[in-house]
Amino acid sequence: QKEVEQDPGPLSVPEGAIVSLNCTYSNSAFQYFMWYRQYSRKGPELLMYTYSSGNKEDGRFTAQVDKSSKYISLFIRDSQPSDSATYLCAMRLMDSSYKLIFGSGTRLLVRP
Amino acid sequence: GAVVSQHPSWVICKSGTSVKIECRSLDFQATTMFWYRQFPKQSLMLMATSNEGSKATYEQGVEKDKFLINHASLTLSTLTVTSAHPEDSSFYICSAPGTPYEQYFGPGTRLTVT
């Protein structure tokens, strides 16, 4: 079993739809949870991060962490064609290694 | 935000040759850098942790004699793929940690071995 599981998609939605992206994980010691966006053949860029449990909102993006269920989500409201990319969840322990464990990534396509 | 660059962005080499990929932190110092490999439509797999002034730490299953890592300064880490073979063709990405929740990723290097 992988430490972090993520549905690879692809997920195709019409413009303006609400998108829900999810990851589950097995290591209850993870404390930092991040969402990265990666365009084709580019490096990932950080979208959202959350420490421990709770919700965080930034513009059209909302990140949720449910540590009791070992489940994290990213919601995108009013999705745009420019949101079409691969979304990677990542998480890490609260140690000095800074090592990230990534999900497999979900490919999102927002149709005009 | 902090910028990490990689060079080259794309390299084609013949089987059996070696290729070096550079990763630079442009506006900050990085005592630690990470090297990832990403196959098409797959996630990033951590290959090794590069530490300035000391030996790199390799993840399980990564051949340290094949993927040589040198972190000679606080702004430069290099990954050398020795005796490259077609199965080494991949997208190689480096990163440097900033805050506890953010790593700054380079743009990646596409390696094609013919």
Side-chain angles (χ1 to χ4, degrees):
Chain A
Q1 181 188 8
K2 292 181 181 178
E3 277 194 287
V4 180
E5 299 275 2
Q6 184 176 6
D7 188 337
L11 179 62
S12 180
V13 301
E15 183 175 355
I18 296 174
V19 176
S20 172
L21 304 167
N22 311 292
C23 288
T24 59
Y25 61 96
S26 57
N27 189 343
S28 58
F30 286 135
Q31 291 284 355
Y32 292 97
F33 304 90
M34 286 74 79
W35 286 94
Y36 283 84
R37 178 173 61 194
Q38 185 179 27
Y39 293 108
S40 181
R41 293 178 181 169
K42 301 290 184 184
E45 56 177 330
L46 180 67
L47 272 179
M48 302 279 290
Y49 71 92
T50 309
Y51 173 69
S52 194
S53 284
N55 296 353
K56 188 171 185 179
E57 187 174 323
D58 183 3
R60 296 185 295 113
F61 298 90
T62 299
Q64 290 185 350
V65 175
D66 182 347
K67 293 194 73 179
S68 62
S69 302
K70 299 192 185 72
Y71 188 87
I72 70 171
S73 301
L74 176 71
F75 298 95
I76 307 174
R77 292 181 297 280
D78 187 25
S79 56
Q80 303 294 310
S82 57
D83 294 329
S84 298
T86 295
Y87 290 79
L88 298 146
C89 64
M91 43 200 81
R92 59 162 285 220
L93 303 171
M94 192 170 66
D95 63 7
S96 59
S97 73
Y98 287 93
K99 288 170 62 172
L100 293 179
I101 307 300
F102 281 90
S104 56
T106 299
R107 291 174 56 210
L108 172 66
L109 174 63
V110 181
R111 308 185 306 271
Chain B
V3 178
V4 173
S5 70
Q6 281 185 243
H7 178 80
S9 58
W10 190 6
V11 58
I12 301 174
C13 70
K14 292 187 176 181
S15 185
T17 62
S18 296
V19 61
K20 180 185 287 187
I21 302 170
E22 293 184 347
C23 177
R24 292 183 185 273
S25 56
L26 296 186
D27 49 3
F28 67 104
Q29 294 182 332
T31 56
T32 298
M33 289 184 175
F34 299 100
W35 285 96
Y36 296 85
R37 180 167 53 184
Q38 186 177 34
F39 292 107
K41 299 182 181 179
Q42 294 188 25
S43 189
L44 282 75
M45 296 301 296
L46 180 64
M47 298 175 66
T49 303
S50 170
N51 302 296
E52 189 267 336
S54 64
K55 290 184 179 181
T57 304
Y58 291 82
E59 295 298 302
Q60 191 174 8
V62 177
E63 300 174 61
K64 61 181 180 181
D65 294 331
K66 180 170 185 61
F67 298 100
L68 300 179
I69 292 173
N70 188 331
H71 196 150
S73 78
L74 289 172
T75 59
L76 174 64
S77 175
T78 60
L79 169 67
T80 301
V81 184
T82 62
S83 186
H85 292 284
E87 57 266 29
D88 298 323
S89 298
S90 188
F91 194 55
Y92 292 87
I93 307 175
C94 68
S95 73
T99 62
Y101 51 82
E102 184 163 16
Q103 284 190 17
Y104 303 112
F105 284 86
T109 296
R110 183 181 171 195
L111 170 63
T112 301
V113 184
T114 61

